[in-house]
């Protein structure tokens, strides 16, 4: 039975990197952007639907490599698409304007192009829009398929006759005006413009006086420097204009009738058009996922029934991008998690938090239907996910870091259920060590009894003494030649020393037995950064 409801809260989606991936997707259509805002995860019981979705994306990943030109043409179409869904819905009850019909014609032209590209490109049938040529033929009776629209004469025989009559009247008016223009020139030497007017400077009193006496001209406009005169209409011209105005009203009525008929034709196919919009939105989102997967070297996760999260050579995409921008090489991490508690131990700078977030990234991306940044991955769907990690927002509103942790811990306990994925980063590190250790051990005891995958990063090595707790340690500097590393950082600046140490850090995880040797990376790092030898030696005594 499928589980519904919320999978992960806003903070978990942000901290695991889902929001980062979504923001990086090149979703281009308004329909795709709407779908991505409303995207929902797959829950236990929906494994087969998720496998089908991932298979569709797998096909698009392959096509993105084989049909680069077609993909580019599709993306060009996507960028030109506007959201006309409200116009389509409005056509059922209202008569659309000429502009609205033009925009729908533009959409139909793009739908036709997308259909042709997806059909010829071998895209999954779910991404192929339905044929809308019949409606396009109605809106484009000439079959020119140009991205323009006009209430063509071919829409109405009466409209064609009215427009012809209007043109004849306009010709008659202009013929009469040209004749009088010629007479004015011959009789008075006054040359009118093609618009049948003339502008005279106010300083030319003689010319103004002469024009004022010409009955065929009348004053139409003036400013502080000049006066404009136009050809005065005769009774014959006025009659022609009056008749033309009547024809214009009839043309407007006939054009409205045409728009009314076209609106009904659009409304009759409204459902088909809206379904095509949704199809294009799905194609847009899935293609964006596929292109992202291809460019960021992500793979199709295997979705299994068992509740597990395991992957080989996983990479946290956001951290990887930062590392590579600085010219470094990202160190991949592998892990296998099942129901129960796993702890990651190691010094600061060891990448424990990044590994924790990486587990969340792989799990949440897979569950939202994305490829994952690994060489391979197997994921069993969770019913609930949450990460507990330092929250500056809680501190800003007056809570201590410990208070913030307890608030989030309560949320986890209140909402977690079978097949939950719980990620906890350094809990109780903000309180005194005795209480912090006791609280951490108690939380581990609680989580052990639940059917959750629980991953905890901690400095409290004693927590891993429990045989039921899997202990993963960051390899860190375990295999580093410290003499060589010391020589390398001896003359480096403060910021450079940190970078050099990080470049030698092995962030891979290794499973160790309970009571395994406590790593000494913190002391080694402190020593290399110049902490007094006496302090280092005394610290070793306390460890022993």
């Amino acid at each position: 039975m499928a589980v519904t409801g919320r999978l992960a809260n806003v903070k978990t989606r942000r901290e695991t990197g889902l929001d980062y991936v979504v923001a990086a997707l090149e979703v281009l259509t308004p329909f795709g952007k709407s779908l991505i805002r409303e995207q929902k995860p797959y829950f236990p019981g929906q494994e087969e639907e998720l496998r089908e979705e991932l298979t569709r994306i797998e096909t698009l990943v392959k096509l993105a490599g084989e049909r680069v030109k077609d993909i580019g043409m599709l993306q060009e179409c996507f960028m030109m698409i506007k959201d006309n869904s409200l116009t389509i819905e409005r056509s059922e009850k209202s008569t659309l304007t000429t502009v609205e019909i033009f925009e729908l014609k533009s959409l139909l032209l793009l739908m036709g192009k997308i259909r042709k590209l997806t059909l010829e490109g071998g895209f999954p049938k779910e991404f192929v829009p339905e044929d809308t040529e019949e409606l396009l033929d109605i809106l484009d009776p000439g079959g020119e398929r140009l991205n323009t629209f006009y209430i063509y004469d071919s829409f109405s025989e009466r409209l064609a006759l009215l427009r012809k009559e209007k043109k004849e009247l306009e010709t008659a008016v202009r013929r009469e005006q040209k004749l009088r223009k010629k007479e004015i020139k011959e009789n008075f030497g006054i040359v009118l413009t093609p618009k049948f007017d003339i502008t005279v400077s106010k300083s030319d009193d003689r010319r103004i006086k002469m024009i004022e006496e010409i009955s065929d001209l009348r004053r139409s406009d003036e400013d502080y420097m000049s006066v404009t005169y136009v050809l005065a209409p005769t009774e014959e011209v006025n009659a022609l204009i009056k008749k033309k105005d009547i024809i214009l009203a009839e043309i407007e009525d006939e054009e409205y009738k045409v728009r009314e008929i076209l609106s009904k034709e659009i409304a009759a196919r409204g459902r088909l058009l809206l379904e095509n919009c949704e199809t294009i939105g799905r194609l847009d989102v899935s293609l964006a996922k596929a292109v992202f997967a291809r460019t960021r070297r992500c793979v199709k996760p295997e979705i299994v029934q068992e509740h597990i999260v395991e992957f080989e050579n996983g990479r946290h995409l956001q951290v990887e991008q930062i590392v590579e921008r600085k010219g470094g090489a990202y160190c991949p991490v592998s892990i296998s998690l099942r129901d129960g508690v796993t702890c990651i131990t190691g010094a600061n700078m060891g990448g424990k938090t990044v590994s924790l977030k990486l587990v969340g990234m792989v799990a949440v991306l897979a569950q939202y239907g994305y490829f994952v940044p690994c060489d391979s991955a197997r994921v069993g769907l969770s019913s609930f996910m949450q990460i507990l990690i330092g929250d500056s927002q809680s501190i800003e509103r007056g809570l201590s870091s410990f208070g913030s942790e307890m608030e989030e811990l309560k949320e986890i306990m209140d909402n977690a259920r079978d097949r939950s994925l719980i990620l906890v980063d350094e809990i109780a590190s903000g309180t005194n060590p005795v209480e912090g250790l006791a609280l951490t051990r108690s939380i581990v005891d609680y989580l052990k009894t639940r059917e959750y995958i629980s991953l905890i990063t901690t400095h409290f090595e004693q927590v891993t003494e429990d045989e039921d707790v899997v202990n993963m340690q960051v390899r860190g500097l375990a295999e580093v030649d410290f003499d060589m590393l010391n020589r390398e950082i001896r003359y480096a600046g403060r910021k450079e020393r940190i970078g050099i140490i990080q470049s030698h850090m092995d962030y891979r995880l290794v499973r160790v037995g309970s009571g395994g040797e406590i790593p000494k990376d913190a002391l080694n790092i402190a020593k290399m950064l110049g902490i007094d030898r006496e302090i280092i030696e005394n610290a070793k005594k306390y460890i022993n």
Side-chain angles (χ1 to χ4, degrees):
M1 181 178 176
V3 178
T4 57
R6 188 188 73 183
L7 174 68
N9 61 13
V10 171
K11 180 178 179 180
T12 299
R13 296 195 297 271
R14 181 184 71 244
E15 294 291 346
T16 57
L18 175 63
D19 288 353
Y20 165 81
V21 172
V22 171
L25 293 181
E26 197 172 7
V27 179
L28 303 171
T29 69
F31 315 122
K33 290 173 183 176
S34 177
L35 287 176
I36 206 73
R37 284 193 300 268
E38 299 168 3
Q39 66 176 336
K40 291 180 174 58
Y42 294 82
F43 284 99
Q46 297 177 315
E47 286 82 3
E48 191 54 39
E49 294 98 310
L50 176 53
R51 292 186 192 109
E52 291 172 0
E53 169 65 9
L54 292 170
T55 298
R56 286 191 288 269
I57 294 174
E58 184 178 37
T59 302
L60 295 183
V61 170
K62 184 179 179 183
L63 289 171
E66 295 175 350
R67 305 186 72 92
V68 177
K69 185 178 178 181
D70 287 349
I71 298 300
M73 292 173 69
L74 274 174
Q75 290 174 327
E76 286 179 9
C77 290
F78 291 163
M79 286 188 283
M80 291 187 284
I81 285 178
K82 295 181 180 179
D83 186 359
N84 302 118
S85 54
L86 290 178
T87 301
I88 295 168
E89 292 171 1
R90 208 172 78 81
S91 67
E92 296 182 4
K93 298 179 180 179
S94 306
T95 298
L96 301 180
T97 66
T98 302
V99 172
E100 287 174 320
I101 297 172
F102 160 68
E103 289 179 343
L104 284 176
K105 181 187 173 184
S106 299
L107 179 63
L108 290 171
L109 288 169
L110 290 169
M111 282 182 178
K113 191 171 182 180
I114 292 170
R115 175 176 167 81
K116 184 173 185 291
L117 287 168
T118 50
L119 276 175
E120 294 178 354
F123 283 69
K125 64 180 181 180
E126 295 89 341
F127 298 134
V128 180
E130 294 296 324
D131 190 351
T132 54
E133 286 296 305
E134 182 184 33
L135 179 57
L136 190 53
D137 286 336
I138 293 172
L139 300 185
D140 183 26
E144 296 174 339
R145 295 303 189 257
L146 298 176
N147 192 26
T148 58
F149 180 76
Y150 176 66
I151 305 294
Y152 307 106
D153 289 351
S154 53
F155 283 130
S156 164
E157 186 177 342
R158 182 168 184 269
L159 180 62
L161 292 172
L162 288 169
R163 284 176 173 170
K164 182 181 178 183
E165 188 175 352
K166 169 180 166 284
K167 188 175 181 180
E168 289 172 350
L169 289 169
E170 288 172 340
T171 301
V173 168
R174 194 162 184 83
R175 185 168 54 245
E176 175 66 18
Q177 289 173 325
K178 283 182 177 180
L179 181 61
R180 293 171 61 219
K181 175 184 175 183
K182 183 180 179 182
E183 290 174 351
I184 290 172
K185 181 180 178 182
E186 291 174 349
N187 295 333
F188 304 101
I190 302 295
V191 179
L192 301 181
T193 70
K195 292 183 178 179
F196 305 105
D197 64 10
I198 185 171
T199 300
V200 182
S201 172
K202 284 188 174 180
S203 62
D204 193 347
D205 294 333
R206 185 186 64 80
R207 193 172 178 82
I208 287 179
K209 184 177 179 181
M210 182 181 68
I211 293 175
E212 292 279 359
E213 293 175 354
I214 300 173
S215 59
D216 282 341
L217 296 177
R218 62 178 174 82
R219 185 177 295 209
S220 67
D221 192 19
E222 68 177 290
D223 56 30
Y224 70 96
M225 292 185 67
S226 61
V227 182
T228 299
Y229 297 89
V230 297
L231 195 63
T234 63
E235 290 185 7
E236 183 180 355
V237 168
N238 279 333
L240 291 171
I241 291 174
K242 186 176 181 180
K243 191 173 182 181
K244 190 185 89 167
D245 289 341
I246 295 170
I247 297 295
L248 283 172
E250 292 179 1
I251 288 173
E252 188 174 327
D253 288 343
E254 191 63 23
E255 286 180 346
Y256 180 86
K257 290 177 183 177
V258 171
R259 289 190 288 111
E260 191 174 39
I261 292 169
L262 295 180
S263 298
K264 289 178 180 178
E265 294 286 0
I266 291 166
R269 297 162 180 83
R271 179 173 294 181
L272 171 64
L273 295 176
L274 293 173
E275 287 174 355
N276 270 3
C277 291
E278 188 174 342
T279 298
I280 291 170
R282 287 198 305 271
L283 173 59
D284 184 22
V285 171
S286 297
L287 188 57
K289 286 182 178 181
V291 171
F292 182 87
R294 187 173 181 82
T295 56
R296 299 301 292 272
R297 296 180 292 116
C298 297
V299 301
K300 176 184 175 184
E302 180 186 352
I303 305 302
V304 298
Q305 298 299 127
E306 184 183 3
H307 190 216
I308 63 172
V309 178
E310 60 181 30
F311 51 84
E312 292 290 329
N313 295 323
R315 308 170 337 269
H316 193 283
L317 293 169
Q318 194 170 3
V319 177
E320 180 185 45
Q321 187 178 50
I322 294 170
V323 170
E324 291 180 350
R325 282 177 179 171
K326 292 181 178 179
Y330 187 92
C331 179
V333 172
S334 303
I335 199 168
S336 178
L337 301 172
R338 286 168 169 72
D339 283 348
V341 178
T342 299
C343 289
I344 300 178
T345 57
N348 284 337
M349 291 178 60
K352 300 190 302 298
T353 300
V354 174
S355 294
L356 185 84
K357 290 184 175 184
L358 173 58
V359 169
M361 172 175 273
V362 171
V364 77
L365 284 180
Q367 206 146 332
Y368 271 88
Y370 291 77
F371 277 28
V372 295
C374 315
D375 287 352
S376 64
R378 299 174 71 234
V379 177
L381 302 188
S382 297
S383 58
F384 175 77
M385 292 183 191
Q386 189 153 326
I387 188 167
L388 198 167
I389 197 168
D391 188 353
S392 60
Q393 290 182 348
S394 292
I395 294 171
E396 287 170 5
R397 69 173 195 264
L399 289 175
S400 67
S401 59
F402 181 73
S404 170
E405 286 177 341
M406 294 304 102
E407 186 183 63
E408 292 186 52
L409 180 61
K410 182 180 186 305
E411 183 181 350
I412 289 174
M413 301 312 177
D414 289 346
N415 292 284
R417 46 192 180 269
D418 289 353
R419 294 183 72 100
S420 287
L421 173 63
I422 309 300
L423 307 170
V424 180
D425 186 46
E426 299 285 358
I427 194 167
S429 60
T431 187
N432 73 74
V434 174
E435 287 185 303
L437 172 59
L439 186 57
T440 303
R441 275 186 153 172
S442 182
I443 291 169
V444 168
D445 288 341
Y446 176 88
L447 293 173
K448 282 191 313 184
T449 63
R450 268 65 179 177
E451 292 185 7
Y452 307 159
I453 294 176
S454 301
L455 181 62
I456 301 174
T457 65
T458 182
H459 282 300
F460 298 125
E461 301 289 341
Q462 299 92 325
V463 174
T464 65
E465 294 172 358
D466 191 323
E467 292 184 356
D468 294 328
V469 175
V470 176
N471 183 13
M472 304 291 291
Q473 285 185 0
V474 179
R475 291 190 181 189
L477 301 173
E479 299 177 10
V480 168
D481 182 338
F482 284 99
D483 290 335
M484 182 190 73
L485 183 53
N486 278 318
R487 288 194 300 271
E488 192 174 343
I489 69 172
R490 183 173 300 166
Y491 301 107
R494 180 179 177 184
K495 291 184 178 179
E496 292 174 323
R497 291 202 299 269
I498 298 293
I500 291 168
I501 292 172
Q502 286 178 328
S503 69
H504 287 273
M505 187 75 71
D506 187 343
Y507 296 102
R508 291 176 294 173
L509 301 173
V510 58
R511 182 168 177 168
V512 297
S514 60
E517 182 182 354
I518 298 172
K520 301 181 180 61
D521 279 351
L523 296 184
N524 288 327
I525 292 170
K527 181 180 177 182
M528 285 185 289
L529 293 178
I531 300 301
D532 191 276
R533 180 183 179 86
E534 181 181 349
I535 294 175
I536 303 298
E537 294 304 318
N538 279 336
K540 288 181 180 178
K541 290 178 183 178
Y542 284 120
I543 289 176
N544 293 333

